[in-house]
Amino acid sequence: MSTRISDELKSWIGREATYTAPEELGRAAIRYFALALGDDNPLHHDEALAQSTRHGGIIAPPTLVCETNQIFQNAPDENGYIGHSWPLPLSSSRFMRGSNEYEFHQPTRADDRITVTWRIVDIYEKDTRKNGAMIFVVSEARYTNQRGELLAVNRETNIHQP
Amino acid sequence: MKEPRTPRFEDVTVGETLPPLKFDVTPTSLVMYAGATWDFHRYHYDADFVTKLGMPAPFMDGQMAGALLARQLMQWGGADAFVRKLSYRLRGTVYAGDSIVLQGTVSDKCVEQGRALALCSLSMTKSDGTQIVRNATAVVELGRRSP
């Protein structure tokens, strides 16, 4: 059994945190996100064209719903970050993103007011060829709109080097 | 403005390639993505800060990789497309100054619960050959030809 994963750390498995955006996503946020990606797909900015498709109107680029910092009104921390994080009892010297698995249930639209529920699914230790023993934290986020409709699920693995 | 191309499910062949997507990661593009996602972490713009952490330059957020993969899929799939699933693992870090190319192929197609789906396999590679994403998998719902 692992020595690096304390009972205290393990007790975080199953914890949840829910946040709701103070306002709807907005068309400008959709256009800004597309612009940042060099994405000129008219589905994200041309209402007339988007209406003629089976989407029936402007939709957000798929992964925008998974970027939820805009829900928060916190002042930036010392590194500039304002979003959700788990204050895990980890003294990690390095943190890396591992993987993302997205499921998109329906497109997100400008008038959606998004709620996200984060849950820690698993915390485990694994020996990696490159970096030795690492701690993997698997979280799942579920995103819904103001009608409670499921928009997307994002299962994310982050890696901490102890 | 150019009309999006709209491949119909019936016309898509297994093994066909998606148009490659080239993206130059610059300080400007990192700041634009950071701004658009309200991600004000110094990782993405503060060269002194990241140098002290042992990194060569500000770097791309992992979810920006996913956003670019989704952009490629949506562009290929056209006006009726919708990405249903996307899974990827990051094998490296993309820094300001890197150029990346995204490539993809259609690995399978099927109709499931009335949805016309193309399964795609995607990669993201730096211009120096470093693989950032290998064998990402995606499911894209496509429009169908009118009967």
Side-chain angles (χ1 to χ4, degrees):
Chain A
M1 286 307 287
S2 151
T3 50
R4 284 185 186 80
I5 300 189
S6 61
D7 289 344
E8 193 201 349
L9 182 56
K10 256 213 157 111
S11 74
W12 279 79
I13 298 172
R15 289 228 203 160
E16 282 193 5
T18 296
Y19 311 93
T20 296
E23 72 283 279
E24 54 283 1
L25 179 65
R27 235 197 241 184
I30 291 175
R31 196 164 58 81
Y32 189 1
F33 186 82
L35 188 68
L37 296 166
D39 185 351
D40 62 359
N41 192 328
L43 282 177
H44 310 315
H45 63 83
D46 185 335
E47 183 64 30
L49 188 136
Q51 272 181 13
S52 73
T53 70
R54 72 186 176 95
H55 300 300
I58 285 177
I59 60 170
T63 65
L64 173 54
V65 64
C66 306
E67 294 282 11
T68 51
N69 291 326
Q70 107 170 49
I71 290 178
F72 295 88
Q73 313 212 52
N74 306 328
D77 70 15
E78 73 273 19
N79 293 323
Y81 188 68
I82 65 166
H84 160 79
S85 59
W86 303 107
L88 296 173
L90 267 172
S91 54
S92 74
S93 57
R94 251 176 103 201
F95 160 86
M96 283 166 281
R97 274 194 190 274
S99 61
N100 286 84
E101 288 169 47
Y102 303 114
E103 280 170 32
F104 301 103
H105 290 258
Q106 66 176 66
T108 301
R109 295 167 191 276
D111 61 358
D112 281 338
R113 192 169 161 217
I114 296 162
T115 292
V116 57
T117 299
W118 281 100
R119 186 169 62 90
I120 297 188
V121 176
D122 201 6
I123 300 175
Y124 61 92
E125 186 183 346
K126 205 167 96 177
D127 269 315
T128 63
R129 221 177 334 167
K130 213 164 121 190
N131 297 300
M134 308 284 270
I135 293 172
F136 290 70
V137 178
V138 184
S139 307
E140 187 181 88
R142 297 172 73 81
Y143 310 87
T144 54
N145 66 12
Q146 65 282 9
R147 293 180 293 278
E149 296 162 349
L150 184 62
L151 300 171
V153 179
N154 171 19
R155 201 177 168 98
E156 176 172 294
T157 304
N158 290 310
I159 306 169
H160 300 259
Q161 185 166 37
Chain B
M1 175 157 354
K2 66 176 195 284
E3 291 284 312
R5 160 184 177 269
T6 296
R8 298 292 162 197
F9 174 73
E10 292 79 1
D11 306 324
V12 167
T13 53
V14 173
E16 81 169 74
T17 55
L18 278 58
L21 172 64
K22 189 174 176 294
F23 192 84
D24 292 326
V25 181
T26 62
T28 306
S29 63
L30 291 183
V31 164
M32 285 174 80
Y33 188 81
T37 57
W38 300 45
D39 178 359
F40 312 124
H41 201 294
R42 296 201 275 170
Y43 287 152
H44 309 308
Y45 55 86
D46 188 336
D48 288 344
F49 176 73
V50 297
T51 306
K52 281 183 194 128
L53 297 176
M55 316 284 255
F59 58 92
M60 196 169 98
D61 182 69
Q63 289 209 117
M64 187 172 172
L68 287 166
L69 294 166
R71 175 193 152 188
Q72 183 185 35
L73 293 164
M74 289 295 285
Q75 265 175 346
W76 168 71
D80 288 323
F82 183 57
V83 178
R84 287 283 168 194
K85 285 185 186 172
L86 173 61
S87 302
Y88 62 96
R89 185 160 75 83
L90 293 171
R91 314 172 66 88
T93 308
V94 179
Y95 298 99
D98 287 338
S99 282
I100 50 176
V101 178
L102 286 68
Q103 286 169 303
T105 21
V106 178
S107 48
D108 204 357
K109 60 187 253 186
C110 65
V111 177
E112 220 177 79
Q113 297 171 318
R115 287 175 181 161
L117 306 174
L119 282 65
C120 299
S121 170
L122 306 168
S123 69
M124 179 183 289
T125 312
K126 290 194 202 182
S127 54
D128 69 3
T130 313
Q131 270 199 321
I132 300 301
V133 173
R134 185 165 78 197
N135 294 332
T137 56
V139 178
V140 185
E141 185 175 354
L142 297 169
R144 306 185 78 163
R145 236 188 259 155
S146 332

